[in-house]
Amino acid sequence: MSYPSRPGRPERPKAAPENAPPGERAAPPGGRSPVARAALPAVLVAAALTLAACSDAADSQAPGATGRAASPVPTPTWQKVTGAPRTVPAVRDFRPADGRGWRPSKGARIVVPAGEKSTVADEARLLGQDLGGMPVVWGDQPVRPGDVEVKLAGKDGKGVPQRPDNAPTGDTADEVYTLTARDTRLTLAAPTDAGIFYATRTVKQAVRAAGGLPEGTIEDRPDRAQRGMLLDNARKPFTASWIEDRVRELGDLKLNQLQLHFSDDQGFRIESDTHPEIVSKDHLTKDEVRRILRLAHSRHLSVIPEIDSPGHLGAVLDHHPDLQLRNASGRVLRGAIDISQPAAGKLIDELIGEYAELFDVPKGAAAYWHLGGDEYQALTAPSPSASYPGLARAARKKYGPNGTIEDLATGWLNDRQRAAEKAGRDRIEAWNDGFFAGTRVQADKNRTVGYWTGKEIGANDPARFLREGRKVVNLNDEYLYYVLGEPNQFTYPTGERIYREWTPAVLRHTSPVDVPASMTTPDRIPGARFAIWCDLAHAQTPQQIAQGIRMPLAALSQKVWDPRKPALSWADFRALATKVSGTG
């Protein structure tokens, strides 16, 4: 999280030209329909088709083709696709072979043996749209020269059990895919529709970058299971269409999470049926949220709701003043709820139940919830018990004579976690400053740490959490915080800095966390999110934000997908990212 009262830090160089001041960078393209946004530029497709002139050679059986004899059709001839596949993020493994590779060609089709009702049907349709309207055919069809075959298959080439359609993934094993270009045909195979989706993103990008894919086989999977973006749409409202555009962008970069921080002191931005009084005038309707969720699930993104508590509740407490926290002199602390009052927990649990139902996930999929937990003002005072004697008394009453306000705050989050779990959430997260050392009451052992800052007084070293056996998601505010207006010595993060310096193990400041390497593996640090915080909401327009985050997101996608040192220079990576995004 970000907060105006946080201490300063040393200056560092301002952002590189990719994030130049609003007046010095070009505005992004104007609004377009979803079809136009997703499809490759007509000029690019036309160029690919021109290269794919046809010869009179007879059809030959392709790898993975169905048993039915294929009708003789001309084999496309085109200029050979050379070099390794060019994508963002880079593919993990490519085994080249002799041949001309694959390009989109006139008369080519996408063949889906599993049929129109299979879980990969929507991925196939999307790929057809991305390739300029390539038709999709279903069932037991011959795979002809120039065609693309899309199939679910395990490593042994056999079929795999069905998962729920468009289920967000919970493990990198669900995101593996193989892509083979051979004899003018292209085969996309994966054990899940998520893997197929990522294979289609590789095809889309490779066509944009080089017109097609070189002959050979790609075997690819991500390094980290959680890869995404956080959007603070509480301090600054964003339209549903703007969020949907970011969902498409995240999906194309093989990022798979969107955290929505929709409640804070400045606003509560989603329609509520249980507590309509708390909703800000400028908000998303539930139907708009459902539309965002449908799109996110089609791109295999998990959407993570966050209702931050016990701090950052100003918009809620404006309508429940009796639950506001007061200090010893009776002064109200804006945004802080009085956790000693049973009614406070009841209010937040009602909201958790309502939004857990709204942010539905496919059956069997990972169900995330973020509790918040950061910057509770009662615990930022030099002497919390003296400043908030009411909380201190409540802690002793509940936990014995040695009970502390930290115990009370830990118990509060434990109770909210139980409410989220009762509502069907099984992956619970909270900010690192919502965990306290040396308390009688311990934070639930299954709670993941969202680590953002080590700069505040008494901040926890991330090594502590890893040594405790917790999972830690990286939101390092040194690299991954895009804070509008750059308050408190924040500077807009650059893709170059992420690309050159950051890794998932750099949780705090600029160096890897000081623990054995076995504690920084993907099972312990499952990934990272790039956070957009709107502290000074009017400092940038939504269009400027979209432009400013483009290269940082591309760099993040590279570093969480492939653990190796990037092969490209920053200049080459930036040029490639611009080309494959269609913004160049």
Side-chain angles (χ1 to χ4, degrees):
M1 296 291 299
S2 60
Y3 198 77
S5 64
R6 56 185 301 160
R9 59 179 173 178
E11 291 284 354
R12 66 170 184 245
K14 290 287 183 178
E18 68 182 63
N19 284 322
E24 296 178 18
R25 51 175 186 251
R32 291 174 287 172
S33 69
V35 171
R37 277 191 299 267
L40 289 171
V43 172
L44 180 57
V45 174
L49 295 178
T50 300
L51 289 168
C54 293
S55 73
D56 294 327
D59 180 32
S60 60
Q61 196 76 355
T66 59
R68 183 194 297 181
S71 301
V73 294
T75 299
T77 58
W78 48 60
Q79 182 179 341
K80 182 178 180 180
V81 182
T82 59
R86 301 182 65 225
T87 61
V88 176
V91 300
R92 299 279 296 275
D93 182 68
F94 172 61
R95 298 189 300 278
D98 291 333
R100 289 174 288 134
W102 177 90
R103 296 178 185 270
S105 58
K106 184 177 180 180
R109 311 162 307 160
I110 298 172
V111 181
V112 184
E116 193 170 1
K117 294 185 178 180
S118 68
T119 58
V120 296
D122 54 338
E123 283 78 18
R125 290 191 187 96
L126 179 62
L127 179 61
Q129 176 182 295
D130 290 336
L131 296 177
M134 185 177 289
V136 183
V137 296
W138 313 99
D140 187 22
Q141 300 278 346
V143 181
R144 307 185 313 206
D147 281 352
V148 179
E149 184 183 21
V150 174
K151 63 180 184 179
L152 287 173
K155 285 190 174 181
D156 56 3
K158 298 180 180 179
V160 293
Q162 288 262 0
R163 287 166 21 109
D165 191 24
N166 293 331
T169 57
D171 188 272
T172 57
D174 295 332
E175 300 176 305
V176 176
Y177 71 89
T178 301
L179 203 161
T180 303
R182 186 184 304 166
D183 298 332
T184 74
R185 300 165 176 88
L186 192 63
T187 302
L188 283 61
T192 69
D193 56 342
I196 292 294
F197 173 72
Y198 294 130
T200 68
R201 301 306 87 194
T202 293
V203 174
K204 177 182 178 180
Q205 289 196 12
V207 171
R208 277 184 165 164
L213 284 150
E215 194 89 356
T217 300
I218 293 169
E219 289 190 350
D220 204 12
R221 68 182 296 166
D223 180 49
R224 307 284 161 158
Q226 297 189 42
R227 313 178 302 277
M229 184 185 88
L230 177 152
L231 178 64
D232 169 15
N233 64 319
R235 293 179 176 93
K236 182 181 182 72
F238 293 85
T239 65
S241 62
W242 190 93
I243 296 173
E244 288 168 340
D245 284 345
R246 304 290 76 70
V247 167
R248 295 183 184 94
E249 182 179 0
L250 296 173
D252 281 355
L253 289 169
K254 300 187 177 84
L255 299 173
N256 65 1
Q257 290 184 335
L258 172 63
Q259 180 176 336
L260 286 180
H261 176 91
F262 62 91
S263 170
D264 211 301
D265 295 346
Q266 294 80 1
F268 192 98
R269 302 293 181 181
I270 296 179
E271 175 186 2
S272 173
D273 298 318
T274 62
H275 289 282
E277 74 281 357
I278 69 174
V279 179
S280 301
K281 181 178 179 180
D282 198 343
H283 65 273
L284 298 172
T285 68
K286 287 191 171 183
D287 282 344
E288 287 176 321
V289 172
R290 294 185 185 102
R291 194 177 80 200
I292 292 168
L293 289 171
R294 285 193 296 270
L295 179 64
H297 292 162
S298 76
R299 266 58 174 181
H300 296 276
L301 267 77
S302 295
V303 181
I304 305 173
E306 180 192 351
I307 298 178
D308 202 349
S309 79
H312 294 281
L313 282 169
V316 172
L317 295 175
D318 285 346
H319 303 277
H320 294 270
D322 53 315
L323 299 179
Q324 292 176 317
L325 179 65
R326 289 172 167 78
N327 63 14
S329 63
R331 184 171 68 86
V332 168
L333 275 297
R334 178 163 174 75
I337 201 167
D338 186 347
I339 59 177
S340 69
Q341 295 194 50
K346 181 176 182 294
L347 171 63
I348 303 306
D349 288 352
E350 287 170 351
L351 294 173
I352 290 173
E354 178 178 4
Y355 291 101
E357 181 179 356
L358 173 63
F359 285 83
D360 195 16
V361 297
K363 185 177 180 181
Y368 294 90
W369 187 271
H370 201 292
L371 298 170
D374 64 305
E375 298 179 327
Y376 186 45
Q377 292 191 52
L379 293 173
T380 62
S383 177
S385 59
S387 298
Y388 302 94
L391 294 182
R393 286 192 298 271
R396 291 191 295 270
K397 181 178 179 181
K398 189 169 186 177
Y399 300 114
N402 295 320
T404 64
I405 297 176
E406 287 86 352
D407 288 318
L408 200 65
T410 302
W412 167 274
L413 285 185
N414 286 347
D415 289 343
R416 307 296 75 77
Q417 178 162 343
R418 283 190 284 272
E421 290 169 342
K422 183 178 178 180
R425 300 287 148 165
D426 61 359
R427 303 208 178 190
I428 311 298
E429 186 176 319
W431 297 111
N432 60 276
D433 42 340
F435 295 78
F436 307 102
T439 53
R440 294 165 56 87
V441 181
Q442 296 297 305
D444 189 287
K445 64 180 181 179
N446 294 320
R447 190 178 308 154
T448 295
V449 179
Y451 198 94
W452 70 282
T453 185
K455 302 178 179 70
E456 295 184 339
I457 296 172
N460 291 305
D461 188 323
R464 168 203 152 194
F465 299 118
L466 293 168
R467 292 193 178 102
E468 287 176 353
R470 293 191 184 276
K471 293 183 178 182
V472 180
V473 175
N474 192 323
L475 293 101
N476 184 343
D477 67 353
E478 181 73 23
Y479 294 95
L480 305 180
Y481 260 41
Y482 192 95
V483 185
L484 295 196
E486 301 182 310
N488 301 299
Q489 297 185 350
F490 276 115
T491 59
Y492 292 127
T494 69
E496 181 174 7
R497 198 159 178 254
I498 296 168
Y499 189 77
R500 292 182 184 279
E501 301 176 15
W502 179 86
T503 71
V506 181
L507 288 161
R508 179 189 192 190
H509 306 321
T510 59
S511 301
V513 59
D514 186 17
V515 295
S518 61
M519 293 185 183
T520 63
T521 52
D523 61 321
R524 302 300 311 281
I525 303 176
R529 291 181 215 120
F530 183 84
I532 303 162
W533 293 107
C534 301
D535 290 38
L536 301 177
H538 300 293
Q540 287 191 342
T541 67
Q543 292 75 21
Q544 290 167 341
I545 295 168
Q547 176 67 19
I549 67 176
R550 185 163 290 129
M551 284 301 159
L553 284 175
L556 174 69
S557 76
Q558 175 64 41
K559 301 302 284 285
V560 291
W561 187 272
D562 188 345
R564 299 170 298 183
K565 182 179 179 180
L568 296 179
S569 68
W570 167 247
D572 288 344
F573 178 86
R574 181 180 177 182
L576 176 61
T578 299
K579 191 168 187 177
V580 300
S581 69
T583 58

